Amino acid sequence: MSTSAAGGITKWHSKDGQFHRQVSSFRSFVEARPDAPFPAEAGRYHLYVSYACPWAHRTLIVRKLKGLESLISVSVVHYLLGPNGWEFASPEEVPGATLDDVNGAKYIREVYFKAEPEYSARFTVPVLWDKKKNTIVSNESSEIIRMLNTAFDEIIEPEYRGINFYPDELKEQIDDINSWIYDTVNNGVYKSGFATAQSAYEQNCRALFESLERIEGILASN
């Protein structure tokens, strides 16, 4: 989920009433190799998330299932998207939220500007932050969960090393299913909910429910 650097914070639609998601700007990878630009290390990386954002949910889920909670710290923004974008708050102010104890930011936008002072796109969560290089590794949730899935296997507890959510023998099938689930379901709820034209709403809502029926069929036969 995102907020914009220029223009309206919640202006996600185009003139045709369609919701258009921006392409994530930070696309580096944490790797197991010690000589990698972003090597897997305990305590080096930090996740910025919102409990109101489904894209952030999956990074928290994989972090939990892979036993990474002691290796990768987390900050949680206010659940309400305000006029200045995602804001940090204390647990006393907003249950479940946290202050930013890594960069001391008041808004997530400040984290983006620290990584890239000329940044001009939307300020999205989740964000994977490198505490050593003081920069954003990635703000693409699908790639963050792939990193969490394998990059830290050398340093996590042995009981988690055999857990693989993207095994080689299923990658082709996973990628095929993900291609239409992403477009019509994950992003489809946004394209339906943020549509500002009836035709855009009907088009995307119809595709959403067709895909839900398709998913129901897959689950029923497996």
Side-chain angles (χ1 to χ4, degrees):
M1 188 173 289
S2 62
T3 59
S4 177
I9 287 292
T10 57
K11 187 178 180 181
W12 296 306
H13 59 83
S14 58
K15 291 181 180 179
D16 62 1
Q18 292 277 5
F19 169 85
H20 294 286
R21 184 173 299 282
Q22 75 172 16
V23 176
S24 298
S25 304
F26 297 88
R27 308 293 287 271
S28 298
F29 276 81
V30 175
E31 299 177 76
R33 295 185 298 108
D35 62 342
F38 297 98
E41 296 177 6
R44 175 166 177 166
Y45 300 99
H46 186 77
L47 264 177
Y48 288 102
V49 302
S50 166
Y51 288 149
C53 173
W55 306 106
H57 291 174
R58 60 181 175 177
T59 64
L60 290 173
I61 291 169
V62 176
R63 173 178 172 264
K64 172 70 174 180
L65 294 177
K66 287 291 293 187
L68 292 165
E69 291 175 297
S70 64
L71 277 65
I72 300 173
S73 51
V74 171
S75 291
V76 182
V77 296
H78 194 302
Y79 62 83
L80 184 64
L81 181 61
N84 293 311
W86 297 116
E87 181 179 5
F88 295 98
S90 70
E92 292 73 30
E93 296 171 303
V94 179
T98 68
L99 297 173
D100 177 13
D101 59 1
V102 173
N103 289 300
K106 182 173 176 57
Y107 297 97
I108 198 72
R109 63 196 302 155
E110 297 168 28
V111 175
Y112 274 80
F113 287 139
K114 185 171 183 178
E116 177 49 69
E118 301 303 317
Y119 186 78
S120 60
R122 294 172 181 167
F123 308 107
T124 65
V125 289
V127 167
L128 184 63
W129 179 265
D130 182 348
K131 299 177 189 177
K132 281 191 175 179
K133 290 190 174 181
N134 284 317
T135 193
I136 295 173
V137 179
S138 178
N139 65 341
E140 172 51 56
S141 64
S142 66
E143 293 172 1
I144 292 174
I145 63 175
R146 298 281 169 86
M147 299 177 219
L148 303 187
N149 182 46
T150 57
F152 295 86
D153 278 2
E154 298 279 324
I155 57 176
I156 57 176
E157 293 297 324
E159 63 190 281
Y160 296 105
R161 292 176 190 171
I163 299 173
N164 187 354
F165 300 107
Y166 192 51
D168 290 339
E169 67 273 16
L170 293 176
K171 283 182 178 179
E172 185 176 349
Q173 185 178 357
I174 291 171
D175 290 342
D176 176 62
I177 293 174
N178 273 346
S179 66
W180 55 268
I181 286 183
Y182 168 81
D183 182 51
T184 59
V185 180
N186 298 133
N187 203 35
V189 294
Y190 289 88
K191 292 194 290 186
S192 300
F194 288 120
T196 58
Q198 184 65 25
S199 59
Y201 170 77
E202 291 178 358
Q203 174 189 341
N204 293 299
C205 192
R206 187 176 298 110
L208 169 62
F209 279 92
E210 287 174 353
S211 288
L212 290 175
E213 288 290 337
R214 188 175 176 185
I215 293 168
E216 187 71 25
I218 293 172
L219 294 175
S221 61
N222 286 276

